[in-house]
Amino acid sequence: MRTPHVALIRGLYHFRIRIPSCLCKRFGRVELKRSLATTDRAAAQRRGLRLSQAALALFDAVRRDAQLESGAIATMVRAFFALPLDAPDTTFIAAGRNAVGDGASAEPSDHIASPPLPHPAIAGDTWRDVLDTLDDSLAGGARPLTLLRDLLRVEIEAALRAIGCAPTEFRGQSDVLGERGLAGFAPEAGRPQPAPSCGVPPAGLGPKAWQDVAALAEAVITEKRLPAKMAEKYRSAARAFIDVIGSKPVWLCTEDDVLNFKDTLLDAPARFNTQHKFASIREAAADNRQRRDARAADARQPKPLPTLSTKTINANYLSPLRQIFAYAAANRATPSKINAAATVRALGVGGESKRHKVDKRLPFAHDDLRTLFNSPLFVGALSPKRLHGAGTHLEAGWRFWLPLGMYLMGLRPNEMGQAEVGDVVVELGWPCLRVTPDAADEDGEKDRSDVKKRVKTVAGERTLPIHPELLRLGFLDLVEAQRSRGASRILGDWRPGCDGTYSMTSSKVFNRVGGYLDRIGIKSQRHALYSLRHNYKNTLRRSGVFPDQQNLLMGHEDASVAAIYGSRELSAGLIQAVIDLDLDGITLDHIPARFSGPTRTFRVRARTVTIGGTVSITKALSSSG
């Protein structure tokens, strides 16, 4: 499981934790970062967890003591960086305060593995014992009077915890001290007071109650076994929440925190960390609010930046956060099993609805398909890096095969990118491609590839007949070439994106502004590379393929009652239907074959198909059944 705040940088593990936004000015920095001095992952995780506890204790101490000066905080930070990596604790906070002298106050940290225990001297005694402790300390001259007063406050707070009373109820008076109260604890007019302690958590909470949202996000990712792309979405939502609200135990997070987070998201500009280069979402939202206020006061000021859409806020931030809080509630990490994010949503025009018609992809028009398959990528480009210009270079990499696979077989980008040479098999006399989450296991060994194979849904696992045009263009010869080189994947030149998916790479090449589809003039808001799967669906309908067979080929779930009967196995009739698909006049025979090989003959029922390498496809009916 990934340990929060631990990152591998240039072969060495480092600890990095963002300082809560409300404390950045007091610390004079935005994060704490130090090397873990190890290349071993287990050691880094162990040291990272210990430093996380120490850092959270430091944040609590500074947050609850508004009287601390910058010199005292700097001393604490230096003490934090001097902590031994294999045995850090929170004593450095007291050491930092003692180095400064009078005027500082010490309080116990709330961010520990379990609720704080009372001081041994008063765990089962009376208030008189507290005063005796003070007298003994004064007689020994161990500390200045002001520090002993701070010690006494800690003792009193611990005693209040022991009897089940919230520490914030103590205001310097008790039955023992009488009306005179405790000197030094009466609030002074005009002087900022320390923030109240969070107190004792409600009874019945589990150990996960003391973890923050980032740690719980990792637990959700592990338990749900989320794929890399979805896991990164959960981590991003958790990081954004901590950036806005601060790092604190999940049982302290309230619905007000989630609402504050949502309001910040509504003000945050789109692509705040890529296009606009803001350090955090909190900083981006604050800058955009300033722009908006300045524009309202003076119309000559620049307009505020376009903000995140409600769809992005709900899907990428609030939805993962709801799942994290639901996990916390199910694991007794929140009081009364309350999900603080259960009802928080960003509402757009007409509220939050299912996929709006304007967001749906449309199939390419007939003329757009002709433009695509007559473009330089298929008939001859300038060079591998200038595929949009006409030339003599015949591209034979994944950029060439992906649009054809989507148009002729309905493959998703990830399904095609992860396809392995062992996935090409012969079923019922015809070459097919198996789409499976498991690696091809020809030698009985497990998959050792960097990116694990996966399918979008259970229905995504299927066996697809390879279209004759792909065979003519040399797809089988490509597979054999990769096999002879010892490569595992068919499209070995295709590298996944930073989120571990091949679709991220294909979107950058084909869909973005200035991408291939944009350069040849067929990209629009509702037309992208994925539109080719919509074209494939239309082709299946036009060819008279039955709806249940369409779902099988597309990898779609069938929710009808009839779908629970029978099997989803490939049949000879379905293979023949794929061979005879009606492409509505779109011809591909002008595209030169990328690989040449021997003439191959396949027979399915009464149909005999001869693939002539770089020549042509000949279809002849056999006299025998």
Side-chain angles (χ1 to χ4, degrees), residues 316-393:
N316 293 357
Y317 294 98
L318 295 182
S319 179
L321 197 63
R322 277 196 297 274
Q323 295 299 318
I324 294 171
F325 276 101
Y327 176 86
N331 286 271
R332 297 187 296 109
T334 57
S336 303
K337 296 185 177 182
I338 295 174
N339 183 346
T343 60
V344 179
R345 287 173 176 81
L347 298 181
V349 178
E352 185 182 27
S353 61
K354 292 186 177 180
R355 196 170 188 177
H356 217 264
K357 289 185 177 181
V358 73
D359 296 328
K360 292 180 65 176
R361 297 295 184 196
L362 292 177
F364 284 117
H366 198 273
D367 291 340
D368 290 341
L369 289 175
R370 290 184 182 276
T371 300
L372 174 62
F373 293 119
N374 284 279
S375 65
L377 175 61
F378 298 98
V379 298
L382 284 172
S383 68
K385 293 185 178 181
R386 294 188 293 174
L387 297 176
H388 58 280
T392 58
H393 168 71

Side-chain angles (χ1 to χ4, degrees), residues 28-50:
R29 59 178 74 202
V30 297
E31 70 173 356
L32 299 177
K33 177 181 176 182
R34 62 177 291 185
S35 171
L36 294 176
T38 182
T39 58
D40 180 68
R41 181 179 180 183
Q45 290 176 334
R46 184 170 60 252
R47 294 174 180 179
L49 289 173
R50 290 170 177 168

Side-chain angles (χ1 to χ4, degrees), residues 158-204:
L160 288 168
R161 294 177 190 273
I163 63 176
C165 183
T168 53
E169 296 177 9
F170 179 67
R171 291 294 182 268
Q173 293 184 342
S174 70
D175 295 338
V176 175
L177 296 175
E179 294 182 358
R180 63 183 175 86
L182 180 62
F185 281 89
E188 300 179 16
R191 184 177 182 181
Q193 298 299 315
S197 170
C198 64
V200 180

Side-chain angles (χ1 to χ4, degrees), residues 150-430:
D150 291 340
L151 171 64
L152 181 57
R153 181 165 63 181
V154 175
E155 300 282 4
I156 293 174
E157 191 171 90
L160 288 168
R161 294 177 190 273
I163 63 176
C165 183
T168 53
E169 296 177 9
F170 179 67
R171 291 294 182 268
Q173 293 184 342
S174 70
D175 295 338
V176 175
L177 296 175
E179 294 182 358
R180 63 183 175 86
L182 180 62
F185 281 89
E188 300 179 16
R191 184 177 182 181
Q193 298 299 315
S197 170
C198 64
V200 180
L205 293 185
K208 286 185 170 62
W210 296 94
Q211 296 182 1
D212 63 3
V213 171
L216 288 176
E218 295 299 327
V220 174
I221 291 169
T222 302
E223 191 164 318
K224 285 191 169 186
R225 299 179 182 179
L226 296 177
K229 187 175 182 179
M230 184 61 67
E232 183 56 32
K233 183 181 292 187
Y234 275 63
R235 293 188 182 109
S236 297
R239 286 196 299 266
F241 183 78
I242 290 176
D243 175 56
V244 174
I245 305 302
S247 180
K248 57 183 178 180
V250 69
W251 73 270
L252 286 173
C253 297
T254 65
E255 188 175 9
D256 289 339
D257 292 330
V258 182
L259 290 172
N260 183 18
F261 177 55
K262 185 198 74 171
D263 292 340
T264 303
L265 292 172
L266 289 171
D267 289 328
R271 298 180 291 277
F272 64 90
N273 58 345
T274 55
Q275 180 178 343
H276 303 295
K277 305 298 183 183
F278 286 104
S280 66
I281 196 168
R282 175 183 51 81
E283 177 186 336
D287 180 84
N288 219 24
R289 281 193 291 267
Q290 292 178 359
R291 289 171 178 260
R292 183 184 59 201
D293 295 341
R295 177 75 175 182
D298 185 354
R300 294 171 297 179
Q301 295 295 325
K303 293 181 180 180
L305 300 173
T307 57
L308 294 169
S309 67
T310 54
K311 178 181 177 182
T312 299
I313 293 174
N314 287 319
N316 293 357
Y317 294 98
L318 295 182
S319 179
L321 197 63
R322 277 196 297 274
Q323 295 299 318
I324 294 171
F325 276 101
Y327 176 86
N331 286 271
R332 297 187 296 109
T334 57
S336 303
K337 296 185 177 182
I338 295 174
N339 183 346
T343 60
V344 179
R345 287 173 176 81
L347 298 181
V349 178
E352 185 182 27
S353 61
K354 292 186 177 180
R355 196 170 188 177
H356 217 264
K357 289 185 177 181
V358 73
D359 296 328
K360 292 180 65 176
R361 297 295 184 196
L362 292 177
F364 284 117
H366 198 273
D367 291 340
D368 290 341
L369 289 175
R370 290 184 182 276
T371 300
L372 174 62
F373 293 119
N374 284 279
S375 65
L377 175 61
F378 298 98
V379 298
L382 284 172
S383 68
K385 293 185 178 181
R386 294 188 293 174
L387 297 176
H388 58 280
T392 58
H393 168 71
L394 294 180
E395 175 63 23
W398 69 269
R399 295 170 179 83
F400 170 78
W401 295 103
L402 176 59
L404 291 168
M406 297 180 71
Y407 178 64
L408 298 174
M409 295 178 62
L411 285 163
R412 298 181 175 97
N414 278 328
E415 294 171 348
M416 198 157 186
Q418 70 188 12
E420 298 184 342
V421 294
D423 292 332
V424 177
V425 296
V426 176
E427 296 281 348
L428 303 175
W430 188 262

Side-chain angles (χ1 to χ4, degrees), residues 462-477:
R462 61 203 189 279
T463 301
L464 298 175
I466 300 176
H467 194 274
E469 280 294 337
L470 289 175
L471 300 179
R472 180 189 69 81
L473 293 170
F475 187 76
L476 290 184
D477 300 304

Side-chain angles (χ1 to χ4, degrees), residues 6 18 22 29 46 100 196 240 291 296 313 316 319 324 477-478 487 509 519 534 540 558 613:
V6 174
R18 183 174 293 277
C22 59
R29 59 178 74 202
R46 184 170 60 252
V100 177
R291 289 171 178 260
I313 293 174
N316 293 357
S319 179
I324 294 171
D477 300 304
L478 168 64
V509 172
R519 285 179 176 269
H534 293 260
L540 296 178
D558 189 345

